[in-house]
Amino acid sequence: MSFEVTRRGFLAGLSAATAGFALGVRFAEGSNKGLFIPNAFIQIGHDGLVVITCHRSEMGQGIRSSLPVLIADEMGADPAKILVRQGDGDPRYGDQNTDGSTSIRNFYEAMRMAGAVARTLLITAAAQRWKVSPDGLTTRMDAVHDPAGKRSFAFAEVAPAAGLLPVPKTATLRPRAELVHVGTELPLRDGPAYVTGTAQFAADVRLPNMLVAVIARPPALFGKVAKVDSAAARSV
Amino acid sequence: MIKLTINGSPREVDAEPDMPVLWVLRDLLGLTGTKYGCGEALCGACTVHLDGEPVRACVTPIRRAEGRALTTIEGLSPTGEHPLQKAWTELGVPQCGFCQAGQIMCAAALLAANPSPSDEDIDRSLAGNICRCGTYLRIRAAVKKVAKP
């Protein structure tokens, strides 16, 4: 499926619900210092590390193990090697409220589009280096491959050049059969962190000069505040 | 100052003797792998080892640990490769993961005391560790995977 890419996102062919989100998928503007940042979800650094943002909250449904794989599979990155970064409330991710079992339903296509734009740019950069048409090129396992020339470029080799290319006007989703990870049982991304105590839950966040507030609940149902004496709390 | 050993290292903590071990670990020492679930010894999320025995850190005053050895999920294995941690990962036991440190600490104490537990032994030992996601069947499978036949 081909879709139109605009500076404001991927608008063509999306449902109203997803289009609202797609407005948030803006492209990096201006200089990117050699990094490849085709949109707010994807970054390839100088070391070739593919960093993918998960903009939904993990709460046991496995969204950090699945959503980023849609992007990785579409762009041809190895999901075992990507780093998943948690979406941090940047408005470009849109409303990050996570509920109702809708993350995959609403973002299946949009995540793939984000990955497809990245793939298009990486292939274009490789085609320019090889001086061939981009049409026959493909991506898999963190590299752009030229089947005719029997050669390949690791993403790290072409990412800086891809980062300087203009956003393509259109991009195309892979045929479903070309997706190798979607639809398979995926490893639990945070499994090792959970079993070693290193996973960070909300209550584990420590920030400099952080204050801790605790809700005082009434001892009776429908209780109303009669008076507040904060003297003891303020003396802490 | 209260002197004790935490994860193999001698430590001194400046805490009220009544302060629960959980808050000494989390708030004074920054060891946040041990979780606060209920604060009333009802859920098992805060399970740690005191001289190898599983205890609920949320209701254990730090004075009880004086001169003794505390082990938390961070210290169960220096490399995170305790057989239970490996089995937990291989079988994809966790869902949200919040209770799993307590589950593993409880299971580790069980296997240290009884390397060949029956299904009943496993269920009985872990009955006090609640998992809101309901990963109980995988927890039991992971313990059995590590248990000696």
Side-chain angles (χ1 to χ4, degrees), chain A residues 35-224:
Chain A
L35 300 174
F36 175 56
I37 310 176
N39 52 54
F41 288 86
I42 302 168
Q43 175 177 317
I44 300 182
H46 301 108
D47 52 2
L49 179 67
V50 178
V51 182
I52 295 181
T53 297
C54 178
H55 72 308
R56 301 281 106 183
S57 297
E58 178 64 61
M59 51 191 96
Q61 82 279 43
I63 206 66
R64 281 168 54 84
S65 304
S66 56
L67 217 47
V69 174
L70 287 165
I71 294 179
D73 213 355
E74 188 66 45
M75 73 184 278
D78 179 358
K81 293 190 185 144
I82 62 171
L83 177 72
V84 174
R85 182 164 57 189
Q86 188 60 36
D88 58 0
D90 187 318
R92 290 181 301 170
Y93 299 122
D95 182 347
Q96 291 187 247
N97 178 45
T98 307
D99 68 4
S101 301
T102 56
S103 295
I104 294 289
R105 255 183 286 170
N106 284 348
F107 300 107
Y108 178 83
E109 209 160 67
M111 292 296 103
R112 288 184 58 191
M113 287 176 168
V117 170
R119 170 169 43 78
T120 303
L121 289 166
L122 291 162
I123 282 179
T124 303
Q128 289 178 356
R129 290 269 292 273
W130 284 321
K131 298 187 170 52
V132 299
S133 160
D135 292 347
L137 307 187
T138 183
T139 59
R140 66 176 181 280
M141 297 300 273
D142 298 312
V144 182
H145 301 273
D146 172 15
K150 294 191 173 145
R151 53 195 167 174
S152 61
F153 273 129
F155 281 175
E157 294 176 89
V158 286
L164 298 173
L165 292 172
V167 172
K169 288 195 170 56
T170 61
T172 305
L173 295 185
R174 290 181 191 273
R176 176 65 183 82
E178 268 187 32
L179 296 173
V180 291
H181 302 284
V182 170
T184 67
E185 188 171 344
L186 298 166
L188 187 66
R189 184 156 301 275
D190 298 314
Y194 290 143
V195 304
T196 53
T198 54
Q200 193 179 53
F201 293 80
D204 303 330
V205 175
R206 298 288 183 273
L207 297 172
N209 302 317
M210 186 172 85
L211 299 176
V212 177
V214 179
I215 297 172
R217 298 193 182 278
L221 202 59
F222 306 122
K224 289 203 167 46

Side-chain angles (χ1 to χ4, degrees), chain A residues 60 188 194-195 197 201 203-204, chain B residues 26-27 33 35 73 85 94-96:
Chain A
L188 187 66
Y194 290 143
V195 304
F201 293 80
D204 303 330
Chain B
R26 290 185 57 85
D27 288 353
K35 300 303 180 201
I73 188 69
Q85 289 170 316
Q95 279 181 226
C96 88

Side-chain angles (χ1 to χ4, degrees), chain B residues 6-92:
Chain B
I6 299 179
N7 295 334
S9 303
R11 301 290 290 258
E12 287 186 24
V13 292
D14 184 9
E16 295 289 327
D18 284 348
M19 189 176 196
V21 165
L22 176 63
W23 304 113
V24 171
L25 294 172
R26 290 185 57 85
D27 288 353
L28 301 186
L29 302 175
L31 290 168
T32 55
T34 304
K35 300 303 180 201
Y36 165 59
C38 66
E40 298 178 32
L42 303 171
C43 76
C46 67
T47 304
V48 296
H49 295 175
L50 186 56
D51 286 342
E53 292 290 319
V55 298
R56 305 288 166 98
C58 72
V59 294
T60 305
I62 190 66
R63 67 179 140 72
R64 259 194 70 202
E66 185 154 25
R68 301 170 73 184
L70 265 180
T71 307
T72 71
I73 188 69
E74 290 95 339
L76 182 62
S77 147
T79 56
E81 290 176 321
H82 185 282
L84 286 170
Q85 289 170 316
K86 286 164 74 174
W88 243 249
T89 309
E90 282 164 27
L91 296 183

